[in-house]
Amino acid sequence: GHAPVLADSSVRAALNIAVDKNSIINSVLGGYGAALSGPIPPGVLQYFKPSGPDEQISESDRASMARDILSKGGWKYDEKNRAWMKKKQTLSISLATSDSQELTATTNKIAEFWRAAGINVNVKIYPISELNLNIIRPRAYDAIFFGEVVGRSLDLFAFWHSSQRNDPGLNLALYANTKTDTLLAKARAETSRSSREELYSSFASIIVKEQPA
C-alpha cells in the first residue's frame, strides 16, 4: 500500500494480532469459514502444515497485545490527539473494499478491532467496478481487503511474485522479496507434488514471519 506506516513491522504485527478472525467468521459468515494465518488455504498442502500464530487468543486480549507491540516498536499513544505517534508520524490508515455485503461487513469488523487498539482507520467502500478501475488497477490504496481464489493447482505466483505488483498482476500487498520470488518460480516449474509443497511451505513460513498482508 501507500501508507509509509505500513512499512513498519511493528505496525503490521499489531494490525494482524488485533483482528479476531474467528469472531468475523461467526458474525459475518455464520460460522462457515476457517481462519488463516498464512497465504495457503487449509487442506491444500498434502504433506506440510504451514504453521501460523495462535488463533485461540481471546478478542479482549488482542487489543492490549496490539498496543504492547506498538509500544515496543517505538510508538507512543498521544492521549490529546487520540492517536499513536512515532517520529512525527501518525498511525492512520485508510482501508478500501468493495460494496459486497460480506466484504463490507468484514472490513467494518476489521476496522473495529484496529480502533480498539487505538489505531485510526478510515473505511472506504466502492462499487466493484470503481474499486477495480480506480483503486486496484492503479494501486491507489493504503490497505485493501479483498478475496483471492487459490485453486487446487496452487499457483501462488500471481498473488505474491514481485513481478506481479503492477496491474494486471494480483500482488495487491505490493510484496517484494528475492527469497520468496525464487521459491515461487521454482515451485511453478516443479513437477513433483511433494517437492512443490516443500517449496510452498518454505514460502508460507516467510510470509507468516514478514506479515505483508
Side-chain angles (χ1 to χ4, degrees), residues 2-3 29 31 37 54 66 93 97 102 105 107 110 132 138-139 141 150 155-156 173 177:
H2 294 273
L29 301 176
S37 50
D54 188 5
I93 301 163
T97 197
E102 285 176 357
T107 299
I110 291 169
N132 277 327
R139 306 298 196 240
Y141 50 82
V150 177
D155 188 5
L156 297 170
N177 178 328

Side-chain angles (χ1 to χ4, degrees), residues 14-207:
L15 291 171
N16 215 354
I17 202 80
V19 174
D20 190 320
K21 297 169 191 166
N22 288 318
S23 153
I24 291 174
I25 288 165
N26 293 329
S27 65
V28 179
L29 301 176
Y32 291 96
L36 282 194
S37 50
I40 299 176
V44 170
L45 294 187
Q46 235 169 321
Y47 307 100
F48 300 94
K49 295 278 168 280
S51 60
D54 188 5
E55 291 300 336
Q56 306 312 310
I57 305 162
S58 76
E59 199 175 316
S60 52
D61 285 346
R62 288 181 180 275
S64 62
M65 287 172 82
R67 287 170 186 269
D68 286 348
I69 290 169
L70 290 172
S71 299
K72 286 196 183 90
W75 292 86
K76 289 190 171 46
Y77 192 73
D78 179 333
E79 292 291 347
K80 192 167 77 124
N81 295 312
R82 299 196 157 199
W84 287 96
M85 308 287 294
K86 180 180 180 177
K87 295 178 185 156
K88 295 192 176 144
Q89 262 193 322
T90 303
L91 181 40
S92 172
I93 301 163
S94 65
L95 178 59
T97 197
S98 136
D99 61 1
S100 89
Q101 198 182 342
E102 285 176 357
L103 290 178
T104 301
T106 303
T107 299
N108 285 325
K109 286 288 284 182
I110 291 169
E112 213 177 283
F113 290 132
W114 288 352
R115 289 177 188 133
I119 296 160
N120 294 335
V121 193
N122 177 15
V123 171
K124 295 180 168 181
I125 293 162
Y126 302 91
I128 188 69
S129 57
E130 193 187 332
L131 184 80
N132 277 327
L133 198 65
N134 301 335
I135 308 300
I136 293 179
R137 292 183 70 177
R139 306 298 196 240
Y141 50 82
D142 291 348
I144 188 165
F145 180 72
F146 209 55
E148 60 183 44
V149 180
V150 177
R152 286 267 160 212
S153 64
L154 197 64
D155 188 5
L156 297 170
F157 191 94
F159 300 117
W160 293 103
H161 195 274
S162 64
S163 66
Q164 305 298 302
R165 283 174 297 170
N166 294 328
D167 186 67
L170 298 170
N171 181 349
L172 301 189
L174 309 183
Y175 184 62
N177 178 328
T178 50
K179 272 193 197 146
T180 51
D181 275 0
T182 305
L183 290 166
L184 289 167
K186 277 188 177 162
R188 202 175 211 192
E190 181 57 67
T191 51
S192 145
R193 169 126 195 170
S194 62
S195 305
R196 188 152 108 240
E197 290 201 0
E198 205 164 334
L199 291 163
Y200 275 140
S201 200
S202 307
F203 157 77
S205 57
I206 295 172
I207 297 291

